[in-house]
């Protein structure tokens, strides 16, 4: 898990983020995308709902159970969007897709990991300020995903824990700096200077 890159999906444009991630997966990176419900799609909610309704109509006429499958959760919508950018029917593509994980919120092992962003996919840098946009979690809720409240509740709990951890970390760093400043090194200074410190 040390060579795994954790990307915070909040405020990223869906298509731009998936294209960058797809390329990295094909090059062998392991990538985890968290907070998928905060990913953004350009265009209004109404427009994206219409597009999703058109997508839902695409099904097997004689036996719809055989697919295509219309995922409702933000993480699975992200996963399926990305799958379309990989040669997923080849062994190489399947292995690349296996290196990806996507989650709503930030589940347990990844809440302690350093999270990164992809500047090339950020909404604030790539979408004009006057353009409409849709948050993926809102679209998912509209089309039948039922865990919006649960994820937001878990996220609130996680943020409280993170703030407590950060306050503790700051206090430890401050105490270390204070101890370093107060340390009396006059007795060992000549020995240390002889070794070049």
């Amino acid at each position: 898990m040390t060579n795994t890159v954790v990307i915070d999906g909040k405020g990223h444009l869906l298509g731009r983020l998936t294209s960058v991630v797809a390329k990295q997966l094909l090059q062998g990176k392991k990538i985890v995308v968290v907070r998928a419900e905060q990913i953004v799609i350009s265009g209004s909610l109404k427009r994206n709902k219409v597009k999703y309704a058109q997508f839902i109509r695409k099904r097997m006429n004689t036996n719809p159970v055989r697919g295509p499958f219309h995922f409702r959760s933000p993480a699975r919508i992200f996963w399926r969007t990305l799958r379309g950018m990989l040669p997923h029917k080849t062994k190489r593509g399947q292995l690349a897709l296996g290196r990806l994980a996507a989650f709503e919120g930030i589940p347990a092992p990844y809440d302690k990991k350093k999270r990164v962003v992809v500047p090339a996919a950020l909404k604030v840098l790539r979408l004009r300020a006057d353009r409409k946009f849709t948050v993926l979690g809102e679209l998912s809720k509209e089309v039948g995903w039922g865990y919006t409240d649960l994820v937001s509740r878990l996220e609130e709990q996680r943020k409280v824990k993170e703030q407590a951890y950060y306050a503790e970390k700051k206090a430890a760093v401050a105490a270390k700096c204070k101890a370093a400043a107060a340390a009396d090194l006059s007795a060992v200074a000549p020995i240390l200077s002889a070794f070049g410190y």
Side-chain angles (χ1 to χ4, degrees):
M1 202 149 78
T2 50
N3 60 346
T4 305
V5 179
V6 182
I7 297 174
D8 189 351
K10 185 178 180 179
H12 288 77
L13 288 162
L14 178 66
R16 287 180 181 272
L17 179 61
T18 44
S19 62
V20 171
V21 170
K23 188 69 178 173
Q24 294 300 316
L25 290 170
L26 287 169
Q27 289 172 354
K29 292 253 173 50
K30 290 180 183 174
I31 296 179
V32 176
V33 178
V34 293
R35 289 214 279 190
E37 76 282 359
Q38 299 284 342
I39 291 173
V40 171
I41 313 173
S42 60
S44 66
L45 179 60
K46 186 178 178 181
R47 177 184 170 84
N48 281 301
K49 274 175 71 178
V50 168
K51 285 173 82 172
Y52 198 89
Q54 290 169 342
F55 168 59
I56 281 178
R57 283 187 63 213
K58 292 170 176 61
R59 61 180 207 157
M60 186 175 178
N61 203 12
T62 52
N63 189 4
V65 173
R66 291 187 177 182
F69 304 109
H70 313 100
F71 298 118
R72 263 65 169 193
S73 84
R76 292 304 272 177
I77 290 172
F78 174 85
W79 180 88
R80 196 180 199 278
T81 307
L82 193 137
R83 189 187 70 175
M85 299 180 186
L86 294 175
H88 68 96
K89 292 185 180 183
T90 65
K91 190 68 182 172
R92 175 171 167 258
Q94 285 168 3
L95 289 169
L97 201 55
R99 287 192 285 271
L100 171 74
F103 300 100
E104 293 89 16
I106 307 178
Y110 305 110
D111 56 353
K112 299 280 193 292
K113 298 276 180 286
K114 185 174 176 62
R115 298 185 285 278
V116 296
V117 296
V118 180
L122 284 172
K123 180 184 81 74
V124 288
L125 299 179
R126 287 293 174 177
L127 195 67
R128 253 174 51 178
D130 60 334
R131 296 299 188 197
K132 291 179 180 175
F133 64 90
T134 305
V135 178
L136 196 54
E138 289 293 313
L139 178 65
S140 291
K141 187 181 179 182
E142 292 286 327
V143 297
W145 184 56
Y147 297 102
T148 314
D149 298 333
L150 175 65
V151 169
S152 60
R153 196 163 69 244
L154 290 170
E155 279 295 279
E156 288 302 318
Q157 290 171 10
R158 178 190 63 79
K159 283 173 187 170
V160 168
K161 277 185 193 171
E162 268 191 14
Q163 283 165 355
Y165 168 77
Y166 183 62
E168 198 177 294
K169 186 180 173 183
K170 264 205 311 192
V173 169
K176 188 179 178 183
C177 289
K178 190 179 175 184
D184 181 25
L185 300 175
S186 58
V188 291
I191 301 164
L192 287 171
S193 62
F195 288 106
Y197 290 102

